[in-house]
Amino acid sequence: MLDPQRVGELLGVPVEEVTDRGSSHSWTLHQARMADGREVFVKAAHDQAGVFAAEAAGLRWLAEAGPGAPVAEVLAADDHHLILPWLAAEPSTPAAAERFGRELAALHTASPPSSYGASWAGYIADLPLDNTLTDAEAWPRWYADRRLAPFLSRAARHLSESDVALVERVITEIESLAGPPEPPSRIHGDLWSGNVLWSGGRGWLIAPAAHGGHRETDLAMLALFGTPHISYVLGAYDEVAPLAGGWRERVPLHQLHPLLVHVALFGGSYRSAMIEAARSALG
């Protein structure tokens, strides 16, 4: 799927060497060495124009929060390629986790958007996200209507009627479950541990489903699949941008959307975790 000639055209310099780095969802992953000595990361696909456009738009929008935002730079993108700098991965450390927590808090609170949603069509993995911009709705109803309900429909074939009814109850009661009102923040939107790349003593955001959302969503997703040194991330974050009381109890509510996504993508193996999150969200 990778077209080295096209990559060279996008970057204005020929590709000298390509190393395949596996695949994910509908695309392949590559490391390319350019004739000018640069090493770049290339995500390539036969036809993922919408996905790559959304990812590039999301990274650029997150970077607009400020010069210190921990966001990988978009070097180029077209319908078949997304090109970022090659960031050599390294293990996380407590110091890097604390720095990431501070930088994530700054990203969430600096230059906040005026609306929930985004101005581009969204994707999470290769599934579409409804990013409809809205000023009128408070976040709970936006989350229920744009994130929970659509993915409950996608996941329903792997769920029982009682499972569906449980999530529908969360949707119905969302206003009483969501905690104090929060203004929109620039959030990554798919911030599980695999989308934080540790390099150069800090954590870098990659592969976002970015939009104006609730900042607790990013923190809840960090906790979902075992981000290293997460206590350092959360402690540093809370020093910079203190969280509203009860945020820990709301973690399952924010995890419910990504778990529904996993059920939709991968089937019943994620059903138990999704049901547990729904029950915990209801208290």
Side-chain angles (χ1 to χ4, degrees):
M1 287 187 249
L2 177 72
D3 180 350
Q5 181 175 345
R6 178 59 179 158
V7 171
E9 292 171 354
L10 288 168
L11 295 182
V13 61
V15 173
E16 286 198 341
E17 184 178 356
V18 174
T19 303
D20 295 336
R21 297 296 185 185
S23 61
S24 178
H25 300 289
S26 303
W27 42 83
T28 56
L29 310 174
H30 311 271
Q31 180 181 359
R33 179 164 52 84
M34 310 305 295
D36 60 4
R38 282 182 294 172
E39 298 278 343
V40 299
F41 169 80
V42 185
K43 186 181 287 189
H46 175 66
D47 184 16
Q48 288 294 332
V51 173
F52 290 171
E55 186 171 340
L59 287 169
R60 288 168 173 149
W61 181 75
L62 290 170
E64 289 173 5
V71 183
E73 179 186 4
V74 178
L75 299 177
D78 67 4
D79 290 353
H80 306 290
H81 303 87
L82 177 70
I83 308 173
L84 312 177
W86 180 261
L87 299 172
E90 63 189 25
S92 173
T93 64
E98 286 185 346
R99 177 176 180 178
F100 178 69
R102 291 190 298 269
E103 292 179 337
L104 183 63
L107 186 153
H108 282 166
T109 54
S111 186
S114 60
S115 306
Y116 299 105
S119 60
W120 57 87
Y123 286 85
I124 187 163
D126 49 7
L127 298 179
L129 279 174
D130 183 352
N131 273 347
T132 300
L133 287 165
T134 179
D135 298 314
E137 293 175 292
W139 177 81
R141 185 48 46 194
W142 188 91
Y143 180 65
D145 292 347
R146 311 294 183 193
R147 293 296 182 262
L148 297 184
F151 286 89
L152 177 60
S153 296
R154 286 183 173 273
R157 68 186 185 278
H158 303 295
L159 304 174
S160 69
E161 290 185 7
S162 62
D163 297 338
V164 172
L166 180 67
V167 180
E168 288 177 338
R169 184 181 162 200
V170 175
I171 292 170
T172 299
E173 299 181 18
I174 189 76
E175 282 84 359
S176 66
L177 304 175
E182 280 264 347
S185 294
R186 291 178 193 256
I187 71 167
H188 180 283
D190 190 16
L191 196 54
W192 71 287
S193 58
N195 284 340
V196 182
L197 178 61
W198 301 97
S199 182
R202 64 192 299 199
W204 295 91
L205 299 178
I206 58 173
H211 62 279
H214 197 306
R215 62 198 182 108
E216 289 179 14
T217 296
D218 275 353
L219 301 182
M221 292 189 72
L222 283 173
L224 190 55
F225 298 120
T227 298
H229 304 298
I230 190 169
S231 63
Y232 291 90
V233 175
L234 296 176
Y237 183 103
D238 201 46
E239 289 178 5
V240 174
L243 294 156
W247 71 269
R248 293 184 186 275
E249 288 70 37
R250 293 188 292 274
V251 164
L253 176 64
H254 291 270
Q255 291 179 341
L256 187 53
H257 168 241
L259 287 169
L260 283 168
V261 171
H262 276 70
V263 174
L265 284 171
F266 305 116
S269 60
Y270 286 93
R271 172 188 169 273
S272 294
M274 188 277 294
I275 293 301
E276 182 179 354
R279 288 175 176 157
S280 297
L282 289 165

